[in-house]
Amino acid sequence: MTILSVYNNNPLIDGRQSDRAMMVRRGTQILLHEMRHAVLPELPLASGRRADLITLSEKGEVWIIEIKTSIEDFRVDRKWPEYRLHCDRLFFATHQDVPLEIFPEECGLFLSDGYGAHMIREAPEHRMAPATRKSVTLNFSRAAAQRLMMAEWSNGKPFTVDDV
């Protein structure tokens, strides 16, 4: 379950991300939505790690996108290879002030400006085992349903068919 900030009444924002990370996230989410991916931010994984963004494509492919907002942010993070166990494709997302050459070639890359993003490099495919796929998909589905319920409750009124 996501830790909620006591200073924010939006249960979908937990307050741990910097403004710059949120800008990268927003632009990347816009592009992924246009690509017809279902997107969830900050999803805890079975390994104990937390994916910055995880998506489910129309074909059932799972992508994880790790957001990096500076050279130092990338250099201190040594956990990103572990995300490969939980996805079919692994990407980084960043903004124009971070040199793109620091990101490994074996991962995809998005460049975001907050209003959209561009896929700079496609990620190679490394298919998950069927049991892992089932586990990740169930985790994704349950988290999405819980967050939808929390958003409905924070709104103070139930959603109607016209809201969808």
Side-chain angles (χ1 to χ4, degrees), residues 14-148:
D14 65 16
R16 289 180 280 194
Q17 299 76 25
S18 69
D19 288 342
R20 183 144 295 178
M22 292 300 290
M23 180 271 299
V24 171
R25 181 172 114 178
R26 186 175 44 255
T28 305
Q29 285 175 302
I30 290 168
L31 174 63
L32 290 164
H33 176 74
E34 291 169 356
M35 295 172 69
R36 302 184 58 81
H37 282 245
V39 183
L40 277 180
E42 303 297 332
L43 184 69
L45 304 170
S47 65
R49 300 290 184 203
R50 189 179 69 249
D52 291 337
L53 288 174
I54 188 165
T55 79
L56 188 60
S57 76
E58 287 185 306
K59 296 178 184 177
E61 195 172 66
V62 177
W63 293 5
I64 289 181
I65 299 93
E66 181 69 1
I67 296 171
K68 295 295 167 207
T69 58
S70 68
I71 295 171
E72 187 63 21
D73 185 16
F74 177 74
R75 285 191 180 145
V76 299
D77 179 10
R78 296 289 162 229
K79 68 185 181 306
W80 65 264
E82 297 175 30
Y83 291 126
R84 282 207 169 95
L85 301 173
H86 306 280
C87 65
D88 297 308
R89 296 181 192 267
L90 179 61
F91 292 83
F92 284 96
T94 193
H95 57 88
Q96 68 179 2
D97 296 335
V98 179
L100 302 181
E101 58 271 7
I102 68 170
F103 297 102
E105 291 287 325
E106 66 267 19
C107 296
L109 184 61
F110 290 103
L111 183 62
S112 171
D113 65 4
Y115 299 99
H118 295 283
M119 184 186 294
I120 303 298
R121 183 173 56 237
E122 181 76 46
E125 182 182 55
H126 48 271
R127 303 286 293 172
M128 288 183 288
T132 304
R133 178 174 311 286
K134 180 179 180 181
S135 174
V136 170
T137 304
L138 283 172
N139 185 28
F140 184 101
S141 302
R142 291 178 54 78
Q146 281 289 96
R147 292 177 188 183
L148 181 59

Side-chain angles (χ1 to χ4, degrees), residues 149-163:
M149 182 182 69
M150 295 297 288
E152 182 177 347
W153 287 355
S154 72
N155 186 24
K157 59 182 182 177
F159 288 127
T160 66
V161 175
D162 296 332
D163 294 333

